[in-house]
């Protein structure tokens, strides 16, 4: 190999070596860090509460009932086996903040011919409930009361859009602290109200009843009820249709299922339904 060719080979290898060094020194371009994205529900708390409701339906032609969910777009009336023109009396059930939805009570009421709807307050995402409703915690009691009353108004407005609802016979039930919002419901769009394990006492903003002359109440409490002073009877008119029952013992299950209470409850509902 000639001197010129040898030099060319050397230059070639030097060139490759230099390119390798430059390539090794070139900073690597790093990919931008991945940013976590959290998907926020497009639905409001009220929509979530309504669409998460549990529903008990009577089954036409039987003494039975069924429990289902309030899924969007589901035509619940088709599940009852009733004719299209049937209009059902409805019970809107507001459950206590720390309670599970009482499906046994709902099924028993549905077997009496009512559609029972229990909105799911636990489905709240943006503004969860604070479950304090009694004693000295008046601020949280008032806030929770406002949230529950908003849920009631929203649910009643949704019922107005449903063709199979008998709007002349909508009843509002409240259990435990859920009964506080029912007792103070100011609307005249419910036939009557039922309060279970609530004595209409407590913090100032949750005490008493509203519009008892327009929407009578059936109130029942036991020794499980949080005791402040007196009972709902202190707020009832002596000439009205409201009734109050105080049971001396404790009941592990829903007190409305006690035979003596349930019998009186049905009489109260029948008296309102057929007047």
């Amino acid at each position: 190999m000639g001197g010129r060719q040898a030099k060319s080979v050397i230059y070639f290898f030097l060139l490759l070596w230099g390119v390798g060094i430059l390539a090794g020194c070139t900073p690597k371009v790093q990919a931008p860090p991945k940013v976590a994205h959290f998907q926020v529900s497009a639905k409001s708390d009220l929509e979530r509460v309504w669409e998460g409701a549990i529903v008990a339906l009577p089954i036409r032609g039987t003494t039975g009932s069924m429990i289902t969910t309030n899924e969007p777009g589901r035509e619940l009336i088709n599940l009852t086996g009733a004719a299209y023109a049937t209009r059902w009396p409805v019970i809107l059930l507001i459950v206590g903040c720390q309670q599970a939805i009482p499906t046994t009570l709902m099924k028993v009421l549905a077997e009496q011919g009512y559609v029972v709807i229990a909105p799911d307050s636990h489905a709240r995402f943006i503004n969860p409930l604070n479950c304090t409703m009694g004693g000295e915690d008046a601020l949280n009691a008032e806030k929770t009361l406002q949230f529950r009353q908003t849920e009631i108004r929203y649910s009643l407005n949704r019922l107005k859009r449903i063709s199979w609802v008998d709007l002349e016979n909508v009843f509002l039930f409240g259990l435990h602290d859920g009964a506080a919002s029912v007792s103070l419901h100011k609307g005249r769009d419910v036939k009557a109200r039922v309060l279970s394990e609530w004595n209409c006492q407590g913090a100032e903003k949750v005490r008493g009843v509203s519009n008892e002359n327009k929407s009578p109440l059936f109130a029942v409490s036991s020794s499980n009820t949080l005791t402040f002073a007196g009972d709902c009877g202190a707020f009832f008119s002596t000439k009205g249709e409201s009734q109050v029952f105080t049971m001396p013992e404790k009941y592990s299950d829903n007190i409305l299922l006690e035979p003596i209470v349930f019998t009186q409850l049905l009489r109260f509902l029948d008296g309102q339904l057929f007047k």
Side-chain angles (χ1 to χ4, degrees):
M1 178 183 293
R4 182 175 294 179
Q5 289 179 330
K7 289 182 179 180
S8 297
V9 171
I10 292 172
Y11 289 151
F12 175 73
F13 282 109
L14 287 174
L15 179 63
L16 291 178
W17 178 71
V19 171
I21 291 176
L22 290 175
C25 293
T26 303
K28 295 182 179 180
V29 178
Q30 295 184 348
K34 294 183 178 181
V35 179
H37 295 281
F38 298 94
Q39 185 175 2
V40 178
S41 173
K43 296 180 179 178
S44 68
D45 272 355
L46 294 176
E47 290 174 309
R48 293 167 62 87
V49 167
W50 174 254
E51 292 180 3
I54 299 298
V55 183
L57 299 166
I59 305 301
R60 194 70 161 191
T62 75
T63 57
S65 60
M66 67 176 296
I67 294 287
T68 186
T69 54
N70 191 32
E71 296 178 18
R74 170 177 283 184
E75 191 58 54
L76 294 175
I77 193 63
N78 294 336
L79 302 177
T80 68
Y84 178 77
T86 303
R87 299 292 180 266
W88 296 94
V90 172
I91 293 173
L92 187 65
L93 181 65
I94 308 301
V95 179
C97 197
Q98 296 177 325
Q99 277 186 299
I101 292 177
T103 53
T104 300
L105 173 65
M106 294 177 67
K107 284 177 63 67
V108 170
L109 290 169
E111 288 164 7
Q112 301 299 318
Y114 297 90
V115 173
V116 187
I117 303 176
D120 183 11
S121 293
H122 299 292
R124 283 181 165 274
F125 179 78
I126 300 171
N127 293 302
L129 295 182
N130 184 310
C131 291
T132 304
M133 287 296 287
E136 301 299 323
D137 199 352
L139 182 62
N140 280 328
E142 183 179 2
K143 186 176 181 180
T144 299
L145 177 69
Q146 290 173 348
F147 283 163
R148 301 304 287 273
Q149 289 182 319
T150 303
E151 292 174 9
I152 290 173
R153 290 192 295 270
Y154 182 84
S155 297
L156 291 172
N157 284 331
R158 291 296 297 257
L159 289 179
K160 293 175 182 177
R161 308 180 199 173
I162 301 175
S163 61
W164 47 262
V165 173
D166 180 359
L167 293 175
E168 297 297 320
N169 288 296
V170 174
F171 299 88
L172 188 57
F173 281 42
L175 309 182
H176 297 264
D177 57 89
S181 54
V182 171
S183 64
L184 295 173
H185 176 64
K186 291 182 170 61
R188 300 178 180 179
D189 43 5
V190 293
K191 192 73 169 287
R193 291 167 286 171
V194 172
L195 313 177
S196 173
E197 301 288 20
W198 181 253
N199 60 5
C200 302
Q201 310 292 329
E204 180 182 358
K205 296 295 184 179
V206 302
R207 183 182 301 127
V209 301
S210 296
N211 288 340
E212 188 240 345
N213 60 328
K214 297 293 183 181
S215 177
L217 298 103
F218 178 97
V220 58
S221 60
S222 73
S223 56
N224 282 334
T225 306
L226 293 175
T227 301
F228 300 99
D231 58 31
C232 293
F235 303 97
F236 292 172
S237 168
T238 56
K239 298 181 180 180
E241 302 174 64
S242 296
Q243 301 176 29
V244 60
F245 296 90
T246 302
M247 307 295 287
E249 300 176 6
K250 292 187 176 183
Y251 298 91
S252 57
D253 294 323
N254 195 302
I255 194 173
L256 294 178
L257 291 173
E258 287 299 310
I260 187 172
V261 175
F262 192 68
T263 299
Q264 296 299 323
L265 171 63
L266 293 183
R267 288 179 180 174
F268 174 78
L269 293 177
D270 286 347
Q272 298 300 317
L273 193 63
F274 297 109
K275 72 176 183 181

